[in-house]
């Protein structure tokens, strides 16, 4: 899984002029993540976008807005379940199999 932490600084780094002043290669990593998303036919299997308290929907990249967003710290429990790959709701067990009987008329 890839956690994408979204903040106003992240948006300015990936949409900025291209210079990487702090040496984190944010724009390059963002492009690689976007390429993987496109190669997976825009199905999100690995990306976990997390909105920090200072961020809002406008800070999320357009291509990532169709995925489930987690807000920190409000969605901490759901985020933990996603990282552990566990379901929030337990599926009830299946009942007995039904038997189909055909009677000729």
């Amino acid at each position: 899984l890839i956690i994408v932490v979204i903040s106003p600084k992240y948006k300015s780094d990936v949409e900025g002029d291209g210079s990487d002043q702090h040496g984190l290669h944010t724009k390059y990593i963002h492009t690689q993540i976007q390429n993987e998303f496109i190669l997976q036919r825009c199905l999100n299997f690995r990306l976990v976008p997390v909105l920090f308290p200072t961020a809002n929907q406008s800070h999320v990249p357009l291509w990532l807005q169709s995925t489930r967003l987690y807000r920190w710290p409000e969605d901490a429990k759901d985020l933990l379940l996603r990282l552990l790959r566990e379901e929030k709701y337990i599926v009830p067990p299946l009942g007995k199999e039904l038997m189909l009987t055909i009677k000729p008329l």
Side-chain angles (χ1 to χ4, degrees), residues 11 13 22-23 28 33 38 40 47 50-51 53 75 80 82-83 89 95 104:
K11 181 172 177 107
D13 283 350
H22 39 73
Y28 172 76
I33 293 171
I38 292 168
Q40 294 294 329
L47 302 176
V50 179
L51 288 173
D75 295 333
L80 182 61
R82 168 66 196 248
L83 295 176
Y89 302 105

Side-chain angles (χ1 to χ4, degrees), residues 24-37:
L24 297 176
H25 308 289
T26 308
K27 197 167 202 168
Y28 172 76
I29 294 169
H30 174 81
T31 304
Q32 295 301 318
I33 293 171
Q34 185 179 15
N35 288 340
E36 179 177 332
F37 185 76

Side-chain angles (χ1 to χ4, degrees), residues 26-67:
T26 308
K27 197 167 202 168
Y28 172 76
I29 294 169
H30 174 81
T31 304
Q32 295 301 318
I33 293 171
Q34 185 179 15
N35 288 340
E36 179 177 332
F37 185 76
I38 292 168
L39 288 174
Q40 294 294 329
R41 297 185 182 109
C42 299
L43 298 173
N44 184 13
F45 297 114
R46 295 183 60 198
L47 302 176
V48 182
V50 179
L51 288 173
F52 267 24
T54 57
N56 58 38
Q57 188 74 23
S58 67
H59 296 113
V60 179
L62 289 176
W63 58 271
L64 199 54
Q65 288 188 1
S66 64
T67 65

Side-chain angles (χ1 to χ4, degrees), residues 68 75 77-78 81-82 85-91:
R68 165 73 162 95
D75 295 333
K77 185 175 180 180
D78 291 341
L81 289 172
R82 168 66 196 248
R85 296 179 187 232
E86 293 184 9
E87 294 294 327
K88 185 173 184 175
Y89 302 105
I90 299 172
V91 179

